[in-house]
Amino acid sequence: MPRLMGVDIPNDKQIQYSLTYLYGLGLFRAREVCEKLGIDPITPASDISDEEVGQIAALLERDYLVEGPLRRQVTQNISRLREVKSYRGIRHRVGLPVRGQRTKTNARTRKGPRKTVAGKKGVKDLR
């Protein structure tokens, strides 16, 4: 099982699909990496030599923002939004949807389980 940038790449899949296990690398970029290095994208990951694994790792380090550095950049962007107290930063801090989705209904993933509030049960109008 080849290891790239701290992630185990599955052996039984084609290299183009195995590379998508890296955070920030989709199918398009995976094929682009294979093309740049002259590796056949449908080659199984188990058939990739150690030299080719080293070439892939060097190319990803040099030309692409993937795994740790990308996660760090995303986290820094969110913390910057929180610090300047922008609308998006406040939504991140409060744990509500950030991109304008409705919250009257739905949004359960961001809001968490329902918090039931007791209603006014049995209160009669004294007129």
Side-chain angles (χ1 to χ4, degrees):
M1 190 173 266
R3 194 162 173 82
L4 277 172
M5 306 187 80
V7 177
D8 289 330
I9 302 298
N11 266 337
D12 55 335
K13 299 183 188 301
Q14 297 174 4
I15 191 66
Q16 63 181 347
Y17 298 118
S18 292
L19 287 176
T20 61
Y21 279 62
L22 293 170
Y23 180 77
L25 205 67
L27 190 56
F28 180 83
R29 293 277 180 241
R31 288 179 178 155
E32 192 177 74
V33 166
C34 291
E35 184 182 316
K36 280 184 180 179
L37 295 175
I39 299 170
D40 186 20
I42 62 171
T43 308
S46 56
D47 295 349
I48 299 294
S49 68
D50 290 338
E51 182 183 314
E52 288 173 325
V53 170
Q55 288 176 341
I56 292 171
L59 180 72
L60 292 176
E61 280 289 331
R62 188 178 66 238
D63 295 344
Y64 297 98
L65 199 61
V66 291
E67 276 305 318
L70 180 59
R71 290 180 200 269
R72 197 168 14 265
Q73 185 185 42
V74 169
T75 305
Q76 287 172 349
N77 289 343
I78 292 172
S79 64
R80 179 182 49 81
L81 289 171
R82 288 172 144 185
E83 287 170 14
V84 299
K85 295 197 171 104
S86 68
Y87 179 79
R88 285 173 52 203
I90 292 168
R91 303 294 281 186
H92 273 291
R93 179 173 284 150
V94 178
L96 292 172
V98 176
R99 297 182 177 177
Q101 296 93 329
R102 67 180 301 138
T103 56
K104 183 173 182 179
T105 60
N106 302 333
R108 281 287 126 211
T109 302
R110 287 295 304 215
K111 291 168 79 173
R114 286 187 172 83
K115 300 169 193 78
T116 308
V117 178
K120 295 186 177 183
K121 193 173 183 181
V123 175
K124 294 181 182 177
D125 193 15
L126 302 171
R127 289 188 197 172

